[in-house]
Amino acid sequence: MQEPEPIVDNFLLTDRAHPPVIFGAGGPIRKGSQAPTPPRSVVGIGNKVTKPDYSEAKIVLTMVGLPARGKSYLSNKLMRYLKARRSHMWLEYDVQVFNVGQLRRSRARQKALQSGIKENHMSSFFSHDNAEATKTRDQLAEDSLEMLIQWLKKGGNVGIHDATNSTRGRRQVAKIEARVAKEKGIQVIFLESVCNDPAVIAANVALKVSSGDPDYKDLPREVAERDFIRRIKEYEAVYETITEPHLSYLRITDVGNEVTLSRINGYLQSRIAFYLMNLHVKPRSIFFSRHGESQFNVEGKIGGDSSLSERGLQYASALPELVRTHIGDAPLTVWTSTLQRTIQTAQYLPYPKLTWKSLDELDAGVCDAMTYEEIEATYPEDFANRDEDKFNYRYRGGESYRDVVVRLEPVIMELERQENILIFGHQAILRCLYAYFHDLPQADLPYIKIPLHTVIKLTPKAYGCDEERYTLPIQAVDTHRPKPSNPQIEVPQASSAREYYGKLA
């Protein structure tokens, strides 16, 4: 059995084109699982992996920044990276965003339904000179913070307070610092998002007024845009950037172009900082494709390091034209695993290529190179156990889906840093990456359908990913095994639309 790859924090990564070898990119080629095969009489080939205990980690992450500066984008990306929420994944902390704007809209909607009184949330509502509205907004921020703290005390790990929090008064005495200080074991970090790029600000404003914000419902787009710009100016009149020397904070300028850290300590705080340092908002797409059909696919075997079948080679030959059609002259880097079926699939593409050991298929351990029928006949109890909990089940001498998620963390980090990437991977690997970008739960992840001879294009947006699929007319076997207890399970439909009300009320 091979030694696991080290995952090393490196805050000095600057070359976006060449990920370091320590991350498993460009490393030595491996030739499939080397796990020894035990005698056929062995029963009990694996076990289930349990979620780590993070119960002692308690952080209030408070957003700071003007409107249209990417605060909600950063908070939702961070939540996706950290969260578990009992059914989700990645680092598996329990994370929730408490958005003050959602709370404001939800309460206004309830008030309108109950009393028929519709509140005016145009730009004048956000003026510092509007004493009554300022009092209401401050109360909403305090109520949202209180909900967050109570949620942390019930078992949450990271509560993200998504609001402008734009003045020192809001951040200090009788506000966030003072309230959090009353709670033992809870830390507060401030995350300030600064944007000086007019093009990015204009794009954020356009997104705000064109994506269904109920503040501007039924208003012409031009009117809504003018009012939102006035709202920004109301905040600019009183905005104070973070300069308080005693605060723990991160300042992200132009979404990753510059990062300032102050008093960031401990593992979880460091993970948050490292992740945020690698984000960017440049337009880009991520392309996923499984390798072409392999000899093992045709034979119904899992794992191994077999070469492509004749139809798989046809897919590899047809890919250059498909990629040119949908990417054109845009720069592109191709990533493959170290297994020959992915390298063969990418062989005709005229782009820079990197091999990643981290992209190798889920290691089936003692079941490597066996068919599912052989596994069921040889290890019937364990075959059933894996079907019962496929995400957590670990093959002896091999891996579980949960193990693969941990292994893919450096790949995720590098994908967030890069621009256009085409990944030739394997079914389990691409399921994990797909679930990350679409924020899908653990229960569905092992059953996401990633067919052969299909290129999946994901285009990251502010609140999710848009998706397109391109399937070449080259036949291949279907390796998808549906969930036994529910053969017709449907993976939730992903959306890049923003949620304006949420569940807070």
Side-chain angles (χ1 to χ4, degrees):
M1 180 178 176
Q2 299 176 3
E3 292 295 321
E5 297 174 34
I7 297 177
V8 175
D9 288 354
N10 186 341
F11 285 101
L12 301 177
L13 297 177
T14 56
D15 185 357
R16 291 185 182 273
H18 300 93
V21 173
I22 195 74
F23 273 3
I29 306 299
R30 85 170 173 99
K31 296 297 183 181
S33 172
Q34 302 299 313
T37 302
R40 292 291 185 178
S41 59
V42 171
V43 176
I45 63 171
N47 52 37
K48 292 183 182 179
V49 187
T50 58
K51 175 187 169 182
D53 180 9
Y54 293 131
S55 58
E56 298 304 313
K58 305 286 182 184
I59 290 178
V60 176
L61 183 69
T62 300
M63 304 302 297
V64 176
L66 293 166
R69 264 55 176 186
K71 297 186 303 299
S72 293
Y73 168 78
L74 290 174
S75 62
N76 281 282
K77 289 288 287 186
L78 184 60
M79 178 178 68
R80 183 172 302 174
Y81 174 64
L82 292 174
K83 81 178 183 178
R85 294 296 296 145
R86 293 184 301 278
S87 61
H88 286 75
M89 58 162 190
W90 221 261
L91 292 192
E92 297 203 81
Y93 290 97
D94 204 357
V95 184
Q96 186 166 320
V97 175
F98 292 79
N99 184 287
V100 175
Q102 287 184 349
L103 181 60
R104 170 178 60 81
R105 286 183 284 267
S106 294
R107 287 187 175 175
R109 180 170 62 174
Q110 289 175 356
K111 182 177 179 180
L113 291 173
Q114 293 170 3
S115 66
I117 299 174
K118 185 177 180 180
E119 293 183 353
N120 180 359
H121 289 174
M122 300 292 280
S123 58
S124 59
F125 180 82
F126 300 91
S127 171
H128 192 67
D129 295 328
N130 187 336
E132 182 178 353
T134 298
K135 181 179 178 181
T136 299
R137 289 186 291 110
D138 284 348
Q139 188 62 54
L140 285 165
E142 290 178 24
D143 290 349
S144 179
L145 178 62
E146 192 62 34
M147 294 175 184
L148 186 160
I149 289 172
Q150 296 307 316
W151 174 81
L152 285 176
K153 291 167 72 173
K154 292 178 181 177
N157 299 126
V158 180
I160 302 176
H161 193 236
D162 188 0
T164 57
N165 293 311
S166 55
T167 65
R168 294 187 183 96
R170 172 77 68 86
R171 294 193 290 265
Q172 287 186 347
V173 180
K175 301 294 182 181
I176 296 170
E177 269 195 292
R179 178 63 189 90
V180 174
K182 295 178 182 179
E183 303 296 337
K184 183 179 179 181
I186 298 181
Q187 302 169 307
V188 61
I189 305 173
F190 293 89
L191 172 57
E192 183 175 17
S193 181
V194 177
C195 184
N196 301 315
D197 187 336
V200 173
I201 296 172
N204 288 342
V205 170
L207 177 67
K208 172 80 171 180
V209 301
S210 64
S211 58
D213 188 334
D215 289 347
Y216 298 117
K217 184 181 180 182
D218 302 326
L219 283 180
R221 177 168 176 166
E222 296 78 10
V223 174
E225 189 168 311
R226 283 197 301 270
D227 184 81
F228 188 58
I229 291 172
R230 283 196 294 270
R231 182 192 299 188
I232 294 173
K233 292 185 181 300
E234 296 288 358
Y235 277 107
E236 286 177 335
V238 297
Y239 186 77
E240 298 170 300
T241 190
I242 296 179
T243 58
E244 300 93 316
H246 66 287
L247 294 182
S248 294
Y249 71 86
L250 300 90
R251 180 182 295 114
I252 310 292
T253 301
D254 293 331
V255 192
N257 283 352
E258 181 180 308
V259 180
T260 304
L261 307 180
S262 176
R263 299 182 182 275
I264 299 301
N265 301 296
Y267 176 78
L268 180 53
Q269 293 186 24
S270 298
R271 297 310 306 163
I272 290 170
F274 186 45
Y275 178 72
L276 292 171
M277 288 169 66
N278 283 283
L279 296 180
H280 70 86
V281 290
K282 295 177 183 177
R284 48 85 176 253
S285 292
I286 299 165
F287 300 84
F288 295 152
S289 174
R290 290 176 65 186
H291 52 79
E293 181 189 71
S294 71
Q295 293 290 350
F296 268 24
N297 290 149
V298 175
E299 297 168 18
K301 296 178 179 179
I302 65 173
D305 192 22
S306 67
S307 59
L308 296 182
S309 69
E310 182 178 343
R311 293 184 299 197
L313 291 170
Q314 291 175 19
Y315 179 64
S317 298
L319 274 170
E321 181 60 32
L322 179 112
V323 172
R324 278 193 297 270
T325 299
H326 295 287
I327 296 181
D329 297 327
L332 178 72
T333 301
V334 175
W335 293 357
T336 72
S337 74
T338 68
L339 302 178
Q340 64 173 325
R341 55 192 183 273
T342 64
I343 295 171
Q344 287 178 335
T345 304
Q347 64 185 310
Y348 301 118
L349 291 170
Y351 302 102
K353 299 182 179 74
L354 286 172
T355 59
W356 285 75
K357 186 168 171 24
S358 296
L359 289 174
D360 286 1
E361 180 59 303
L362 185 153
D363 192 336
V366 297
C367 295
D368 197 55
M370 295 175 69
T371 66
Y372 283 114
E373 291 75 17
E374 289 171 340
I375 297 170
E376 185 175 20
T378 308
Y379 309 111
E381 293 181 7
D382 297 279
F383 183 85
N385 287 340
R386 187 166 193 264
D387 276 348
E388 181 183 333
D389 188 358
K390 194 172 180 180
F391 182 81
N392 290 302
Y393 183 83
R394 175 189 287 158
Y395 289 107
R396 177 183 292 183
E399 295 176 299
S400 66
Y401 270 92
R402 185 185 292 277
D403 294 324
V404 171
V405 164
V406 174
R407 163 154 65 94
L408 287 173
E409 186 191 354
V411 177
I412 288 294
M413 200 70 70
E414 194 60 27
L415 279 173
E416 294 290 10
R417 298 174 69 239
Q418 296 291 335
E419 296 183 29
N420 297 320
I421 298 291
L422 169 56
I423 297 178
F424 289 105
H426 307 270
Q427 184 166 244
I429 301 301
L430 297 185
R431 281 170 170 166
C432 294
L433 296 176
Y434 184 94
Y436 168 79
F437 282 101
H438 274 321
D439 196 21
L440 299 178
Q442 290 176 1
D444 295 335
L445 184 153
Y447 303 100
I448 297 170
K449 192 158 190 175
I450 309 287
L452 290 165
H453 299 175
T454 299
V455 175
I456 300 172
K457 177 184 178 182
L458 299 182
T459 303
K461 301 290 186 179
Y463 301 100
C465 282
D466 290 339
E467 178 181 327
E468 300 174 59
R469 294 196 178 203
Y470 313 115
T471 301
L472 284 172
I474 300 171
Q475 289 188 341
V477 296
D478 184 0
T479 63
H480 182 75
R481 293 183 70 242
K483 193 171 185 177
S485 59
N486 185 4
Q488 302 303 318
I489 187 170
E490 293 289 337
V491 173
Q493 185 68 35
S495 172
S496 61
R498 181 173 183 177
E499 172 57 62
Y500 278 105
Y501 288 104
K503 297 179 181 179
L504 300 180

